[in-house]
Amino acid sequence: MAELSEVSRDPLFDSWMGKIPGRLNTEQAAGILGFSTHDIPVLVRNGMLTPLGKPTQRSTKYFAAIEIFRCLKDKKWLSKATIVVTGAMGG
């Protein structure tokens, strides 16, 4: 996991600071990462994203904004996540 000092020095993170909450719902996380809302459960099932707390299968999932930004900055993560999502879709 990214350290706060590591992410907070990043201009991308700075540009969003004060504009987003500390935890993001599925729609917000998907929008920031550039995935569809329906891709997020696939990423969770495949261990690419971890929701906060211990949500039940049917409950709203929230994600740490700092972790979403870490993923956003990581080209390898984005590539792997894209492969996971397109593979899950049969593409």
Side-chain angles (χ1 to χ4, degrees):
M1 184 190 304
E3 295 295 322
L4 179 58
S5 60
E6 177 184 321
V7 176
S8 64
R9 288 185 301 231
D10 187 282
L12 178 63
F13 183 79
D14 289 344
S15 69
W16 284 81
M17 196 60 154
K19 298 177 186 170
I20 60 168
R23 64 180 195 157
L24 305 170
N25 65 28
T26 298
E27 293 79 15
Q28 292 166 320
I32 290 170
L33 291 171
F35 286 94
S36 297
T37 302
H38 64 267
D39 294 334
I40 300 301
V42 175
L43 295 172
V44 170
R45 270 195 311 276
N46 284 278
M48 300 290 302
L49 289 175
T50 304
L52 293 168
K54 294 183 180 185
T56 64
Q57 187 175 9
R58 301 185 130 225
S59 66
T60 301
K61 309 296 186 284
Y62 292 97
F63 303 88
I66 195 164
E67 188 65 18
I68 297 300
F69 275 91
R70 183 197 60 77
C71 295
L72 180 64
K73 293 177 38 167
D74 187 341
K75 183 179 176 182
K76 288 181 183 179
W77 185 94
L78 288 168
S79 180
K80 185 175 178 184
T82 300
I83 290 167
V84 165
V85 168
T86 56
M89 293 171 52

